[in-house]
Amino acid sequence: MFERVASVSEVPPNGRKSIIVDDVPALLVRIGNDFFAVEDVCSHDGQPLTDGPVADGAITCPRHGAKFDLKTGKALCMPATQPIPTFAVQVRDGEVFVGPAGAELPPGPTTSASVTSTATATNSLPVVSVLDAVGEKVPLPEPGDDDEIRLIDALKQVIDPELMVNIVDLGLVYTINRDGHKIYVEMTLTSPACPAGPQIVQQSKMALERLRDVEEAEIKLVMSPPWTPDRMTDEAKDMLGIF
Amino acid sequence: MTAAMTTFGRVTGFTRIAFEAFLESRDEPDWIVEARRAAYEKYQDHLAVPLDPEEWKRVETRTFRADQFHVRREPTEEATFGSLMQDRAEFAGMVTHVDGHATRETLDEKYAKQGVLFGDLSTLLVEHREKLEPYFLKRAVQAKRDRFASWHAAFWTGGTVLFVPRGVSIDEPLDSLIGLSTAGAADFSHTLVILEDGASATLLEETSSATADAAGLHVGAVELILGKEARLRYVQLQNWNDKTWHFAHQAGRVESNGMLQWTVGGLGAKLAHIHQDVHLDGRGAEAEVNGVTFATNRQVLSYYTQQWHNAPNTRSDLLYKDVLRDKARVVWRGMIKVAKDAQKTDGYQRNDALLLSDTCRVDAIPGLEIEADDVRCTHGATAGQVDREQVFYCMARGLPEFEAMHMIVQGFLQIVSDRIPVELVRETLNQTVEKKLGIG
């Protein structure tokens, strides 16, 4: 049985809405023009996924970093091993309907002309656009910008203790900004639960503050967009044996 | 305002309008009304802040809508309940509540003569104010404690009172039945048991729904207050239908050398969350807490138990046994708290879970907080599935599979069942387990 859960205009692209389907708390996620609905409970710790970051068609649990495919519900990484239930989503006349997985919305009085089947994964991912929206440069320095190269070189001294690759080549550093003698860095970790997090942050701060013209460095950890192996340089991929 | 009224002129939900209408319908003395008003304000304060995540983060309340329920103003005349216990033994007294109104009260004459009070809270609290007011929502359950406690304190509808004066002992068990019969009805019953020094009694309480599909709400409280050397055996079998929401604060306080034996059965409810506190306040006080839960389908049964050792030489022993099937979920969070001067404490807590399906889930989190330095405190939790070899063994002996399962579940619950001293309760539990297994 399909229930109307939202109108299309209620959920902006890359937005989400908490809904209740068949007495189960669920999350409706919109990626571009596609809608997905999953049970809003992490199969690992049994608590809500509601505010977890969404990227590459997957949602990440905000507590321990478990990742689930929004289309299939499949658990993509530890600590989760079990999938989360998904629901079929259909859009008709600007309204979003959700029903049991695999079900089809019976054709309505307006005939099937306006029925759009949407539960398909796409490759048009929001990751790039999010970065663009922030208006920042992705890790690698622009040629000829000496200051930035120096800052990046300083950060290259910080090594992820688990992977033994520096944080810049891993693609963990998102933005570096200078305001006089103060440096602002936005960076991420390979997973929100990364045990080496505090150590990496502290070392980054120290590495920058060691520079002559830097008085203070402020390191901000961001989890959105989440890190993926694609962010690594080829060199780093080689070192880790990823091709 | 029209939206809050049904065509019968009955106000639903728990808004201020509903609260005023509720007060008006009750005709109570000022001191009770004042206490209710204070609690309602507290309830509003609590609503403005999120629930304590430590207690609530594993309990799924997102589908709960308080405004779908209301307190019924008039008693429901005819409703029959599948009582598990009422007709099966001799009782010294019986009380029945339906949709928050007492429909039957009896007490053996010989105990009434000795000063025992047993009956409906809403009348006894007025008639015996001097005896009950010092205890009601003051000693064991604090009205201001959290959202559900103050919600209950504002809207309590009645409930069972048992007051046993000093030195009196009641040999036969007493029975209390709390029923919900109407869809959308809310029960705010309050169980208040006071045993003065040296008194003893056994109270069996049961909750039940008249139909299988009427969604109900229970926001309850249980207060068990034992004087010196008092002995109480209290059993509560929660057996609502699986559409009912059950929230309760339950607390016991035991004075020197008192003995509380408390058995909790969690069988029904869509979602049940019970905050259970046992306070051992006097030297040598003892408490034994037994829990049996059987959750099926999408039931969520959650227990937040705390054993407070506030005095030296106290002993507490908590044992919960959970059986789960389908997509059911049981959460148990236990804590033993030992105060600084509660030396020679002996505290134990244990939770065992038997998982009958791949899709059920149990969260068992035992805990200890010990400030004294000469105590014995232990805790443990186990979770496991039925051993296929055991089933195979039974089947090789000629038992059909369901009977083998039944035997294994029964065996799992046996340890806690052995600790229940009342034969009737043991039988009742076995019967419900069979029903849950689909063979009773």
Side-chain angles (χ1 to χ4, degrees):
Chain A
M1 204 185 67
F2 274 80
E3 303 171 45
R4 183 201 165 275
V5 293
S7 62
V8 170
S9 55
E10 246 177 283
V11 189
N14 305 329
R16 63 186 79 184
K17 186 187 177 191
S18 290
I19 55 175
I20 290 181
V21 187
D22 190 22
D23 221 15
V24 171
L27 193 63
L28 180 70
V29 179
R30 178 170 176 181
I31 298 177
N33 282 322
D34 295 335
F35 285 90
F36 303 91
V38 294
E39 188 171 321
D40 190 7
V41 177
C42 176
S43 68
H44 163 242
D45 75 352
Q47 295 168 50
L49 289 166
T50 317
D51 298 319
V54 170
D56 296 349
I59 185 163
T60 303
C61 173
R63 285 171 302 280
H64 310 103
K67 209 186 269 185
F68 302 95
D69 188 305
L70 283 168
K71 188 188 173 199
T72 62
K74 194 178 158 213
L76 299 175
C77 76
M78 290 291 278
T81 56
Q82 298 297 314
I84 52 174
T86 59
F87 301 94
V89 185
Q90 305 217 343
V91 178
R92 178 189 288 173
D93 294 341
E95 306 284 342
V96 184
F97 294 83
V98 169
E104 287 284 322
L105 183 62
T110 51
T111 76
S112 59
S114 55
V115 179
T116 333
S117 175
T118 57
T120 49
T122 63
N123 291 320
S124 58
L125 302 168
V127 180
V128 178
S129 60
V130 170
L131 272 183
D132 288 344
V134 184
E136 299 299 350
K137 300 165 209 104
V138 197
L140 294 177
E142 283 175 19
D145 191 341
D146 286 344
D147 182 45
E148 191 159 27
I149 289 172
R150 278 191 312 114
L151 295 174
I152 288 170
D153 283 344
L155 285 175
K156 276 188 179 172
Q157 296 162 23
V158 182
I159 311 288
D160 183 313
E162 280 182 318
L163 302 177
M164 300 309 286
V165 176
N166 75 68
I167 59 170
V168 175
D169 286 342
L170 278 176
L172 295 176
V173 179
Y174 286 173
T175 68
I176 305 174
N177 279 312
R178 178 187 276 278
D179 181 12
H181 291 287
K182 192 164 175 184
I183 306 293
Y184 296 89
V185 174
E186 280 196 17
M187 63 177 292
T188 191
L189 299 170
T190 50
S191 91
C194 177
Q199 185 187 344
I200 290 178
V201 169
Q202 186 57 27
Q203 287 182 358
S204 307
K205 189 172 161 66
M206 283 164 59
L208 290 170
E209 286 174 358
R210 234 178 275 138
L211 295 175
R212 225 172 350 105
D213 53 357
V214 176
E215 260 174 31
E216 195 190 345
E218 192 177 289
I219 315 288
K220 193 177 163 205
L221 274 187
V222 292
M223 289 301 152
S224 180
W227 179 85
T228 67
D230 289 338
R231 294 182 177 280
M232 292 191 286
T233 60
D234 291 342
E235 211 176 331
K237 283 182 190 163
D238 278 348
M239 283 179 70
L240 294 174
I242 303 170
F243 303 102
Chain B
M1 189 169 149
T2 44
M5 308 276 251
T6 68
T7 45
F8 307 105
R10 184 180 296 122
V11 183
T12 60
F14 300 91
T15 58
R16 206 167 279 277
I17 303 165
F19 180 61
E20 290 301 331
F22 170 76
L23 287 183
E24 212 163 283
S25 71
R26 291 199 56 101
D27 187 29
E28 286 170 329
D30 288 345
W31 67 274
I32 294 181
V33 176
E34 284 315 305
R36 284 187 189 277
R37 284 191 189 280
Y40 189 78
E41 293 313 318
K42 263 280 162 235
Y43 170 55
Q44 292 298 325
D45 294 348
H46 283 307
L47 272 182
V49 291
L51 289 164
D52 175 14
E54 210 36 55
E55 178 170 353
W56 290 92
K57 67 181 175 186
R58 293 177 181 81
V59 188
E60 185 62 76
T61 53
R62 283 179 288 178
T63 55
F64 175 60
R65 297 279 174 275
D67 55 14
Q68 291 171 350
F69 300 96
H70 64 272
V71 174
R72 283 181 68 83
R73 286 208 211 167
E74 62 288 311
T76 316
E77 304 86 46
E78 280 308 309
T80 44
F81 293 96
S83 166
L84 299 168
M85 301 194 285
Q86 271 198 336
D87 311 318
R88 301 176 50 177
E90 288 290 303
F91 291 105
M94 288 172 133
V95 181
T96 304
H97 306 270
V98 178
D99 291 349
H101 296 269
T103 55
R104 167 160 86 160
E105 295 170 66
T106 64
L107 174 64
D108 193 323
E109 195 57 29
K110 74 178 174 205
Y111 295 118
K113 274 189 196 140
Q114 295 181 66
V116 172
L117 302 177
F118 184 62
D120 178 30
L121 175 69
S122 42
T123 47
L124 289 176
L125 187 60
V126 178
E127 284 169 21
H128 299 275
R129 177 179 175 182
E130 73 297 339
K131 279 190 186 137
L132 304 180
E133 192 197 357
Y135 297 102
F136 178 63
L137 282 170
K138 289 186 180 69
R139 295 281 313 283
V141 174
Q142 311 287 334
K144 57 180 190 293
R145 173 144 189 180
D146 73 0
R147 185 187 299 178
F148 293 94
S150 48
W151 190 7
H152 170 83
F155 283 97
W156 63 268
T157 45
T160 298
V161 174
L162 171 63
F163 177 91
V164 186
R166 181 183 295 264
V168 174
S169 75
I170 303 179
D171 305 320
E172 305 86 7
L174 295 147
D175 179 86
S176 160
L177 173 69
I178 303 166
L180 278 171
S181 73
T182 319
D187 169 77
F188 280 70
S189 61
H190 189 106
T191 302
L192 177 62
V193 178
I194 300 157
L195 263 56
E196 288 193 337
D197 296 352
S200 78
T202 301
L203 174 62
L204 311 181
E205 191 161 57
E206 188 185 342
T207 72
S208 179
S209 304
T211 58
D213 54 0
L217 167 68
H218 169 86
V219 179
V222 171
E223 298 189 280
L224 312 173
I225 297 157
L226 279 71
K228 288 178 187 142
E229 285 166 29
R231 302 178 70 81
L232 173 67
R233 295 188 298 195
Y234 173 70
V235 177
Q236 193 192 41
L237 273 187
Q238 184 269 103
N239 197 23
W240 302 117
N241 64 20
D242 59 8
K243 301 276 190 295
T244 299
W245 297 84
H246 178 100
F247 300 102
H249 265 273
Q250 309 190 333
R253 294 209 91 107
V254 188
E255 269 304 331
S256 290
N257 297 321
M259 165 70 192
L260 169 62
Q261 200 210 39
W262 189 345
T263 303
V264 188
L267 303 162
K270 175 193 180 71
L271 178 140
H273 179 78
I274 289 168
H275 186 121
Q276 186 186 36
D277 286 307
V278 177
H279 294 267
L280 301 170
D281 295 329
R283 185 181 282 272
E286 263 184 63
E288 187 184 286
V289 184
N290 307 314
V292 178
T293 66
F294 197 147
T296 49
N297 298 322
R298 280 202 203 151
Q299 281 186 299
V300 179
L301 303 178
S302 161
Y303 294 85
Y304 193 80
T305 67
Q306 297 189 304
Q307 296 149 264
W308 301 77
H309 290 260
N310 303 326
N313 293 93
T314 47
R315 194 181 77 88
S316 73
D317 183 355
L318 178 144
L319 174 63
Y320 268 69
K321 290 267 185 181
D322 320 318
V323 183
L324 296 89
R325 208 187 56 205
D326 311 321
K327 289 187 165 180
R329 189 163 176 197
V330 168
V331 180
W332 171 74
R333 179 110 166 70
M335 181 64 79
I336 297 180
K337 296 204 184 204
V338 182
K340 216 167 194 164
D341 48 359
Q343 300 293 7
K344 303 288 181 193
T345 280
D346 180 355
Y348 185 59
Q349 58 176 338
R350 173 169 175 169
N351 180 295
D352 295 329
L354 184 65
L355 311 173
L356 301 184
S357 70
D358 293 337
T359 43
C360 55
R361 176 189 177 107
V362 63
D363 291 83
I365 307 150
L368 297 169
E369 257 180 56
I370 303 172
E371 289 184 47
D373 56 10
D374 182 12
V375 301
R376 177 181 179 279
C377 283
T378 43
H379 63 190
T382 66
Q385 292 179 326
V386 174
D387 187 346
R388 293 311 302 179
E389 290 218 348
Q390 286 179 10
V391 179
F392 178 77
Y393 176 81
C394 293
M395 287 170 74
R397 302 258 146 184
L399 289 179
E401 187 172 5
F402 72 87
E403 215 157 290
M405 266 318 211
H406 179 212
M407 254 174 119
I408 291 164
V409 170
Q410 202 118 46
F412 173 75
L413 296 175
Q414 193 65 43
I415 302 168
V416 72
S417 178
D418 284 347
R419 288 170 38 144
I420 302 170
V422 190
E423 174 71 35
L424 169 67
V425 178
R426 278 202 299 267
E427 267 176 34
T428 311
L429 263 179
N430 283 348
Q431 199 190 348
T432 14
V433 165
E434 284 172 17
K435 212 175 255 171
K436 278 260 183 181
L437 281 169
I439 53 176

